[in-house]
Amino acid sequence: MSEPGFIALVDDDDHSAYLLTRMMAAHGAPAISHFGTAALGEGQIAAMLQDPLANWPGLVIIDLKSHSSANLEFLERNQALFRQKGIPIAVMSPPLSAAGCEALTAAGAAGIFFRHAELDAYRREAAAIVTFWARHQRLDAIGM
């Protein structure tokens, strides 16, 4: 079980997950629990959210690369559970059109962040995710 305030990362590329985790930690992120596939993330996060005694993530980040609509499909399958539990979802993706961003938002994404090839741009995006996480923390979670 992770500590309160952790971030769940569903990322099917281990190197990408390592890089994002390291970049976010450098900007003050809490512990990050990595789930390596959509199925693993869905199963373990759903089990966590069904257990009232479990620590829940303060944010779930989806960064699936198996195919172009993997993030959207994950959101569509799981948006009801995340909304019911009040867990914000952030999506990490390549730059998208306005229609692509709207589809992710309609499927439940509270934030959309872009993967960048340039290291400084990627670092700024990781910092923005940490800021996003901090803004979405529940005040009543303190001391839990």
Side-chain angles (χ1 to χ4, degrees):
M1 198 177 318
S2 295
E3 293 300 312
F6 77 101
I7 293 174
L9 171 62
V10 181
D11 188 333
D12 51 8
D13 179 308
D14 288 339
H15 176 72
S16 170
Y18 173 76
L19 181 61
L20 183 60
T21 298
R22 196 177 69 167
M23 292 277 184
M24 289 176 57
H27 290 285
I32 298 173
S33 294
H34 173 225
F35 303 95
T37 65
L40 185 62
E42 285 180 69
Q44 290 188 351
I45 294 170
M48 217 181 297
L49 296 178
Q50 296 302 325
D51 181 355
L53 299 177
N55 294 317
W56 294 355
L59 175 67
V60 175
I61 301 171
I62 310 303
D63 188 7
L64 298 170
K65 301 163 197 77
S66 60
H67 60 280
S68 61
S69 60
N71 287 331
L72 180 61
E73 291 171 5
F74 183 95
L75 284 169
E76 290 173 340
R77 284 191 306 270
N78 296 288
Q79 71 171 310
L81 177 62
F82 293 130
R83 280 191 182 149
Q84 176 189 30
K85 302 299 184 180
I87 308 292
I89 307 301
V91 175
M92 191 79 170
S93 79
L96 297 169
S97 66
C101 289
E102 288 173 14
L104 289 172
T105 301
I112 301 169
F113 300 90
F114 299 119
R115 286 185 224 117
H116 296 279
E118 200 274 313
L119 189 58
D120 284 336
Y122 189 81
R123 187 174 287 122
R124 286 189 299 274
E125 209 69 1
I129 294 171
V130 174
T131 300
F132 179 83
W133 164 80
R135 283 193 328 255
H136 285 85
Q137 293 308 289
R138 293 186 357 243
L139 294 177
D140 63 348
I142 304 300
M144 293 179 93

